[in-house]
Amino acid sequence: MSSLSETAVPRRLFTALFPVPDASTAIDAERRNWPGLPRRLRPTPERMHLTLQFFNQVDAVRERDWLLALKELRFEPFEVSLTQAEIWRVPTGTIAVLLPELTPELAELHVATSKLARRVDLPAVTQGWRPHVTTLRRAESVQLQPLTQAIRWRVSCVELIWSELNAQPPRYHRLGQFGERVLDVFIKHTSSLTSRRT
């Protein structure tokens, strides 16, 4: 991934939770155990994610406003636990997904980020959301197996991603990370240093 500034061209943007590297490796290991895999395993481990909101075309003004709104996001870190595999038939084909336990923390984060998107006139919804991690595309012949164990990772931030489909190969660009309480920690650390000096 790379970091880019805003552009005048509308872009495909989404907010998401990305597994930590160990969890991505565990997801990849699980899917390699499934019979009937396609010749090419897509997405690659570093592109796997759990989408919170997706918008196909976001102009530069709303992208800027969305970035500003997301900077207000704050939440306590929590754990995501992937426990179940399913095959879904979607408009783009057949995919294999892993489903997380829908905890109150995950549901609340989805609602909070939806409200921030709606504030800048992006049509985010809070009903009918089915959180999942897409593990395979072109999964028509895949025979799912139960997970050997739940795959867990600790969520501390939401990422805003530009999905550049026209690139060769298609790429994800990280536009920002939000909700980590980094600012809060910095303020506390600065206050502590100031008090020590006085």
Side-chain angles (χ1 to χ4, degrees):
M1 294 191 197
S2 61
S3 298
L4 298 179
S5 60
E6 73 176 40
T7 177
V9 179
R11 309 201 284 201
R12 293 166 52 93
L13 302 182
F14 64 88
T15 47
L17 309 177
F18 279 79
V20 298
D22 285 351
S24 295
T25 298
I27 294 170
D28 186 47
E30 288 287 348
R31 70 177 179 174
R32 289 178 183 275
N33 290 329
W34 299 337
L37 292 176
R39 292 178 59 186
R40 185 179 178 189
L41 301 186
R42 294 184 303 143
T44 56
E46 64 272 13
R47 289 169 60 93
M48 295 178 186
H49 61 272
L50 191 158
T51 301
L52 293 170
Q53 290 87 28
F54 169 80
F55 304 105
N56 191 44
Q57 294 289 315
V58 179
D59 60 49
V61 172
R62 286 188 296 175
E63 177 179 326
R64 179 201 62 206
D65 292 346
W66 197 15
L67 278 164
L68 290 173
L70 284 167
K71 289 180 180 179
E72 299 177 19
L73 181 65
R74 294 288 185 275
F75 63 91
E76 293 293 338
F78 64 93
E79 185 176 80
V80 164
S81 180
L82 304 175
T83 58
Q84 183 178 350
E86 288 187 357
I87 293 291
W88 288 4
R89 287 168 180 79
V90 297
T92 56
T94 302
I95 61 176
V97 302
L98 295 184
L99 306 180
E101 294 178 346
L102 185 54
T103 61
E105 294 85 357
L106 181 56
E108 288 167 8
L109 182 59
H110 178 247
V111 170
T113 52
S114 295
K115 288 178 178 177
L116 291 173
R118 288 201 300 270
R119 185 194 299 179
V120 299
D121 297 324
L122 291 170
V125 298
T126 55
Q127 301 298 318
W129 178 60
R130 297 189 67 191
H132 63 277
V133 175
T134 299
T135 60
L136 278 175
R137 301 190 182 280
R138 298 185 178 178
E140 292 82 0
S141 300
V142 171
Q143 301 171 39
L144 296 182
Q145 304 294 318
L147 298 183
T148 55
Q149 61 182 359
I151 300 171
R152 299 181 173 88
W153 80 92
R154 189 168 177 79
V155 172
S156 60
C157 72
V158 171
E159 302 196 33
L160 179 63
I161 302 295
W162 167 32
S163 174
E164 188 184 14
L165 292 184
N166 294 330
Q168 293 299 327
R171 291 193 293 268
Y172 284 173
H173 303 279
R174 180 180 292 114
L175 303 181
Q177 295 178 301
F178 310 95
E180 290 184 293
R181 296 185 179 271
V182 171
L183 181 60
D184 298 344
V185 172
F186 174 77
I187 291 171
K188 290 178 182 177
H189 179 65
T190 302
S191 299
S192 175
L193 290 177
T194 302
S195 63
R196 289 176 188 173
R197 290 172 181 167
T198 56

